[in-house]
Amino acid sequence: MTIKISLPDGSIREFPSGVKGIEVAKSISEGLARNALAIEVNGTIQDLSRSIDQDASVKILTWNDGGGKYAFWHSSAHLMAEALEALHPGVKFGIGPPIENGFYYDVDLGGKAFGDDDLAALEAKMKELAKKESVFGRREVSKAEALDFFSRKNDPYKLELISELTDGTITFYEQGNFTDLCKGPHIPHTGFIKAIKLLNVAGAYWRGNEKNKMLTRIYGITFPKQKELEGYLHLLEEAKKRDHRKLGKELELFTFSEKVGMGLPLWLPKGTILRERLEQFMRKAQVKAGYDPVVTPHIGSKSLYVTSGHYEKYGKDSFQPIRTPDEGEEFLLKPMNCPHHCEIYNSKPRSYKDLPIRLAEFGTVYRYEQSGELHGLTRVRGFTQDDAHIFCRPDQVKEEFIKVIDLVLHVFKSLGFENYTAQVSLRDPANKEKYIGDDELWDRAEREIQEAADERGLKTVAVKGEAAFYGPKLDFMVKDALGRSWQLGTIQVDYQLPQRFELEYVGSDNQRHRPVMIHRAPFGSLERFVAVLIEHCAGNFPLWLSPDQIAVLPISERFNAYAEDVFNTLKALDIRGFLDDRDEKIGRKIRDAEVKKIPYMLIVGEKEAAERKVAVRIHGKGDAGTMPFDQFVVEFKSSSAAPEN
RNA sequence: GCUGUUGUAGCUCAGGGGUAGAGCACUUCCUUGGUAAGGAAGAGGUCGUGAGUUCAAUUCUCAUCAACAGCUCCA
């Protein structure tokens, strides 16, 4: 009996039924078979050693396919486990999956610490075992057999996993002396793994639950060639150079002080310029979009948050209330601006004709983030949201939501953010007690968000369990230099707070109605946005944002007077920069300005002073020639304007 | 918050039971130089903080604080 196998190029080949993946690969080419790691059969990735007994469309997976990499790293995790068991007999295994860059394995070392020396020894053992070219063998086992195997091995984690599996679907994989519960797929043998680097050790809760025991997680990455590993490590080094914490220090944008407190950023003068430019850009965009700026205090009565529900939800693990000395009244540092804005809405009766009302505020909020979560400017305890709350009629929700999407996209586009993910953050249906409000309104809000996103042709990813406790969100996620994902912009539909704050408007029917709230922050927080912006442009800010736009560099002290004249003219035109009149050679001044990533350098000497010219040098590009100073000013002014709103 | 690692000059880092070192930055002097580091001299640290062991601690031990990596969390 023969079966028809169709290949990615559209061709169809016939094979005897039961043909193995590797044989299909060989029939295409020897080279492909040599590099083949796994095979995709009708969309399912499986081992090359498995037989195919029906017509199928297949794709041979190599290192160049995501699926091939995953099988490779998955097998690498098994190799690491084998090495670990050889070095540390009795170790218990949790899970060991492939991840975006490499793999990890969670293990229980019985309380033994695992340090750098252990890591190096493990890596060496892996290299040794890889050379044995141990074949990854797949075996179907009964549940009883699986339970028996791991109870004899005394591995409670595997037993827990097996107990949740259905009999008849359980498989073991074996290579060398190591056997693991695993559904595969795996690469043919360990010999493919030529380059190995174990990266770090960290704690990780069993099954991601902080009530469970913490296991030791060992991260590693492997490659088929040593050169690829070197390339990857080089890439990591380069990414570290873009880290906003490093650049923030080098470019003197912000700092932290132990005395002030952890997670409380101090914005230095240059960082403040950057931040204020962004604020100004947003203010203009918002005025144009019909927002009314408001200002509210940094603290609010505890009862405000009891009403909003935030106190019940977050009160325990927040900064504790401030008490007034005489009356003993309790106030909280505001963790968000919405309750204040609700009370602004409530300050007078509203008519349906007034809606939507859009209240915007750069509101600084304080949240007691867990100490281990603090991270540069991306996760801090005091930060400023470019917050606004839109109060609208139910029939206006979608239109308003779409307008906000447009605003967010405009902001992202103006700043060159193209690699974002639009995430529809829904509630977790399995944990409804985490949320307030009834199902009907939740369903409605979730539907409205998805529809608005679809209407704007936004590609979205829906993620359950990511909603706020009062409503679903549309979040704009952006990755940092090291590949970690952060939420920037967010738009949320909320039916709950208007109820809790008893917000009302009088409709055309002369009846009282409840408005809907849309929470939104295009930047999210200025702090996090600046952090991601720094990493995005590696500190080479667009001209309109750059804290220093121009450095004026006289060739020698003899031309300081002319340089000062040039500098003062720029200053009078609101162009930011500095005059470097130090007693240094021009090469040195240029180098220092380049290191500081100053976009433009104006070099002035005898020739320039005589003709009122400037020699222009552009950061990262070099000498751009000499031109009349007045001409430079005109051209600079037009290229340094903030994006149109 | 949890697990692990780290903490030495403004920055980047070396060192090590007998009260500390480099490069850059900084100060002064010399130099007046045309597109990425001119030369010389000088100043600067109770080695994160607190306890313990020791004749002696920056070095060893413990605690604490902070940073880093990951986990958990993120209104």
Side-chain angles (χ1 to χ4, degrees):
Chain A
M1 198 174 123
T2 61
I3 56 169
K4 291 191 170 75
I5 300 285
S6 59
L7 301 171
D9 65 0
S11 67
I12 294 175
R13 299 189 188 196
E14 293 202 344
F15 290 93
S17 178
V19 66
K20 289 187 171 154
I22 189 69
E23 291 159 0
V24 176
K26 270 183 194 153
S27 80
I28 299 169
S29 92
E30 278 294 333
L32 181 62
R34 251 197 322 277
N35 291 313
L37 299 172
I39 183 168
E40 191 175 322
V41 180
N42 292 331
T44 307
I45 301 173
Q46 60 182 49
D47 306 336
L48 285 161
S49 57
R50 292 187 68 182
S51 49
I52 305 165
D53 24 68
Q54 293 174 26
D55 292 355
S57 73
V58 310
K59 184 180 181 202
I60 305 296
L61 301 178
T62 66
W63 179 252
N64 296 320
D65 302 290
K69 277 197 180 71
Y70 262 49
F72 191 89
W73 285 329
H74 192 176
S75 300
S76 302
H78 280 231
L79 175 65
M80 184 167 83
E82 185 187 356
L84 200 58
E85 198 163 54
L87 294 176
H88 305 268
V91 58
K92 298 172 177 52
F93 294 94
I95 56 164
I99 52 175
E100 196 174 349
N101 288 302
F103 58 90
Y104 66 80
Y105 218 119
D106 284 347
V107 297
D108 182 348
L109 291 157
K112 254 190 298 177
F114 198 84
D116 288 346
D117 296 344
D118 299 297
L119 207 60
L122 182 61
E123 192 177 300
K125 189 71 181 174
M126 281 176 75
K127 285 175 185 161
E128 178 193 323
L129 291 173
K131 286 193 185 124
K132 291 189 173 175
E133 304 195 352
S134 308
V135 171
F136 286 93
R138 180 177 185 274
R139 182 153 64 91
E140 289 175 13
V141 294
S142 71
K143 191 164 181 172
E145 194 182 338
L147 288 170
D148 180 55
F149 179 86
F150 280 105
S151 46
R152 272 190 286 120
K153 206 179 162 192
N154 191 22
D155 195 327
Y157 306 105
K158 294 293 180 188
L159 287 172
E160 184 178 328
L161 293 174
I162 294 166
S163 70
E164 291 163 19
L165 296 174
T166 321
D167 204 356
T169 63
I170 302 172
T171 51
F172 278 5
Y173 273 83
E174 297 169 329
Q175 100 272 4
N177 292 320
F178 181 72
T179 302
D180 204 354
L181 167 74
C182 181
K183 64 179 192 292
H186 282 283
I187 60 175
H189 62 76
T190 59
F192 283 84
I193 304 166
K194 298 260 201 268
I196 299 169
K197 180 71 187 173
L198 297 186
L199 298 162
N200 49 48
V201 181
Y205 300 108
W206 168 237
R207 314 206 87 174
N209 186 334
E210 66 179 321
K211 296 199 174 75
N212 288 343
K213 182 166 182 182
M214 181 161 272
L215 305 179
T216 303
R217 176 171 294 181
I218 306 171
Y219 283 91
I221 192 161
T222 51
F223 293 89
K225 289 180 189 148
Q226 186 64 28
K227 226 177 167 172
E228 290 183 76
L229 171 60
E230 282 161 19
Y232 174 76
L233 294 176
H234 179 69
L235 218 68
L236 272 188
E237 290 302 312
E238 288 302 305
K240 276 187 193 152
K241 288 185 193 159
R242 301 169 77 99
D243 191 313
H244 77 277
R245 292 166 297 185
K246 185 175 158 65
L247 285 169
K249 190 181 273 177
E250 286 171 2
L251 302 178
E252 298 181 358
L253 300 174
F254 60 89
T255 190
F256 289 89
S257 153
E258 281 191 33
K259 275 194 183 138
V260 173
M262 60 165 112
L264 299 170
L266 302 173
W267 288 81
L268 302 174
K270 289 182 198 302
T272 304
I273 291 174
L274 185 57
R275 178 188 158 121
E276 288 187 341
R277 298 294 298 165
L278 287 168
E279 266 190 42
Q280 207 176 331
F281 168 71
M282 185 61 74
R283 274 182 214 282
K284 275 192 188 164
Q286 287 182 164
V287 167
K288 198 173 166 190
Y291 289 78
D292 297 312
V294 295
V295 175
T296 66
H298 285 232
I299 63 174
S301 168
K302 176 179 154 185
S303 64
L304 186 66
Y305 303 100
V306 171
T307 302
S308 71
H310 289 98
Y311 189 78
E312 191 192 344
K313 182 85 180 144
Y314 296 105
K316 293 178 291 298
D317 30 46
S318 284
F319 285 114
Q320 288 309 296
I322 304 162
R323 288 170 155 275
T324 56
D326 294 335
E327 306 82 351
E329 281 180 277
E330 292 186 310
F331 290 85
L332 298 181
L333 279 167
K334 72 173 168 185
M336 80 292 301
N337 306 297
C338 24
H340 287 82
H341 290 184
C342 283
E343 288 307 294
I344 290 179
Y345 179 92
N346 258 345
S347 64
K348 68 172 193 179
R350 307 289 181 175
S351 152
Y352 73 99
K353 295 177 193 165
D354 300 331
L355 302 183
I357 290 169
R358 309 182 188 92
L359 304 179
E361 173 175 20
F362 286 87
T364 304
V365 297
Y366 300 89
R367 298 178 181 178
Y368 180 80
E369 304 287 1
Q370 295 183 10
S371 59
E373 267 316 319
L374 300 174
H375 185 98
L377 284 185
T378 51
R379 196 79 184 270
V380 287
R381 285 181 167 172
F383 58 95
T384 303
Q385 297 175 315
D386 57 331
D387 208 359
H389 296 92
I390 299 167
F391 301 87
C392 65
R393 304 191 304 261
D395 63 289
Q396 294 171 317
V397 170
K398 201 201 275 182
E399 185 190 342
E400 284 302 309
F401 202 94
I402 288 173
K403 279 187 191 166
V404 179
I405 291 179
D406 289 343
L407 180 63
V408 173
L409 294 182
H410 166 67
V411 169
F412 278 32
K413 197 176 164 203
S414 299
L415 287 146
F417 282 61
E418 279 150 21
N419 295 316
Y420 57 83
T421 309
Q423 171 180 306
V424 181
S425 299
L426 306 169
R427 77 194 147 148
D428 179 1
N431 274 310
K432 283 194 180 168
E433 72 284 355
K434 280 170 66 182
Y435 310 96
I436 57 171
D438 51 65
D439 286 354
E440 195 191 322
L441 290 176
W442 268 89
D443 291 342
R444 182 171 173 182
E446 292 187 353
R447 200 170 54 241
E448 281 165 341
I449 288 181
Q450 190 63 59
E451 282 173 11
D454 292 345
E455 210 153 301
R456 268 297 175 264
L458 211 54
K459 263 191 220 153
T460 56
V461 185
V463 183
K464 284 178 183 161
E466 289 295 309
F469 72 91
Y470 51 76
K473 311 188 283 175
L474 179 64
D475 294 325
F476 292 82
M477 314 293 290
V478 177
K479 283 189 179 171
D480 71 9
L482 294 169
R484 293 174 287 220
S485 210
W486 299 97
Q487 175 200 306
L488 293 182
T490 180
I491 321 174
Q492 311 167 3
V493 176
D494 181 5
Y495 288 92
Q496 310 309 327
L497 288 194
Q499 272 179 22
R500 290 179 167 249
F501 280 93
E502 300 178 311
L503 306 185
E504 290 178 338
Y505 66 90
V506 178
S508 56
D509 56 2
N510 201 29
Q511 300 293 305
R512 287 164 189 276
H513 297 275
R514 183 127 291 159
V516 185
M517 261 174 98
I518 296 174
H519 307 240
R520 42 107 282 174
F523 288 146
S525 87
L526 265 313
E527 283 73 8
R528 183 176 288 178
F529 193 85
V530 166
V532 176
L533 178 66
I534 290 168
E535 306 200 353
H536 184 79
C537 63
N540 299 304
F541 300 108
L543 213 42
W544 66 283
L545 287 175
S546 193
D548 280 316
Q549 298 170 307
I550 296 180
V552 181
L553 313 179
I555 296 280
S556 86
E557 275 175 19
R558 284 167 42 221
F559 314 108
N560 279 357
Y562 175 60
E564 204 166 326
D565 179 18
V566 164
F567 176 64
N568 286 334
T569 307
L570 296 173
K571 226 163 85 173
L573 291 163
D574 281 330
I575 295 169
R576 303 180 293 273
F578 60 90
L579 169 65
D580 185 354
D581 56 3
R582 289 177 302 166
D583 176 15
E584 290 291 349
K585 291 170 103 169
I586 193 63
R588 177 50 177 275
K589 294 182 184 181
I590 287 170
R591 183 192 141 78
D592 289 347
E594 288 282 356
V595 168
K596 289 186 199 158
K597 301 177 190 284
I598 311 297
Y600 279 86
M601 286 151 271
L602 296 184
I603 294 145
V604 294
E606 189 163 14
K607 286 176 284 190
E608 290 77 16
E611 302 177 49
R612 198 166 175 77
K613 286 186 168 178
V614 288
V616 181
R617 183 188 164 100
I618 302 172
H619 170 61
K621 291 194 182 126
D623 195 346
T626 301
M627 67 168 81
F629 179 47
D630 295 340
Q631 184 194 336
F632 170 80
V633 166
V634 172
E635 290 180 14
F636 182 86
K637 266 297 189 188
S638 72
S639 62
S640 64
E644 289 287 317
N645 269 312

